[in-house]
Amino acid sequence: THWLRSEWVAPRLVPQLKGAVARGTERDALPRICAEVLVFARGGAFRPLRAAALADPQRPLHLLADSVWAEACAFLKGTPHLFGSLAGTPAALHAAHTATVALQAKLEALLQTPAERHYFRCHPAGADLMRRFNLPIYFQLRVQEIAKQLE
């Protein structure tokens, strides 16, 4: 799957993701990136790989997780200013986290078996990406906002 990711998925997906970043502000780039990943996974460029992955359900290839999802996560991790622009703004962080979780759910819905869905949910690239959101800090900021309103 490394070859598929580097030679098939990355050359087709990464330019779309870069275009999504270029269209608009950094603060709202993550939802656009998520939308592009979903379009790619459902579209013609990935269709031959999806067909190959479905050919033998007894031997899952995990192409969606190991190629599209892993490449999308690598792109996001390699674009640190996306997360830097969210710092200190709970509403923007919430919107970005929600967009990412929604993308995960929509990609997961493309998978056929419980084993594939489990593999996708536990994929290291996704887990690492979710750690970038630093949710404990987000919740601290939200508690401070609520406490100010009560004072």
Side-chain angles (χ1 to χ4, degrees):
T1 58
H2 177 72
W3 181 89
L4 289 173
R5 178 179 165 194
S6 64
E7 300 299 321
W8 183 269
V9 173
R12 290 162 177 79
L13 178 59
V14 171
Q16 292 176 324
L17 301 182
K18 287 180 179 178
V21 171
R23 292 187 306 270
T25 66
E26 287 179 4
R27 197 168 288 255
D28 64 352
L30 195 53
R32 288 193 312 276
I33 292 168
C34 291
E36 288 293 335
V37 171
L38 191 58
V39 166
F40 181 84
R42 290 178 173 164
F46 190 64
R47 190 169 292 125
L49 298 180
R50 284 187 62 204
L54 295 174
D56 185 0
Q58 300 303 318
R59 299 185 69 190
L61 298 175
H62 304 295
L63 296 180
L64 187 66
D66 289 340
S67 60
V68 176
W69 181 235
E71 191 61 37
C73 291
F75 179 83
L76 290 168
K77 290 186 311 187
T79 314
H81 65 275
L82 291 176
F83 290 93
S85 68
L86 302 175
T89 52
L93 182 66
H94 179 260
H97 184 265
T98 300
T100 305
V101 170
L103 172 63
Q104 280 182 298
K106 290 173 184 173
L107 290 174
E108 189 178 303
L110 298 174
L111 300 171
Q112 302 296 314
T113 67
E116 286 179 305
R117 288 188 287 278
H118 177 75
Y119 183 88
F120 183 86
R121 280 185 212 122
C122 296
H123 200 279
D128 188 39
L129 177 63
M130 295 313 266
R131 279 192 295 276
R132 298 269 177 161
F133 285 104
N134 205 354
L135 290 181
I137 298 297
Y138 165 77
F139 287 114
Q140 285 178 348
L141 292 170
R142 284 294 192 193
V143 166
Q144 288 174 359
E145 284 180 352
I146 293 168
K148 276 186 180 180
Q149 292 174 0
L150 296 174
E151 290 177 350

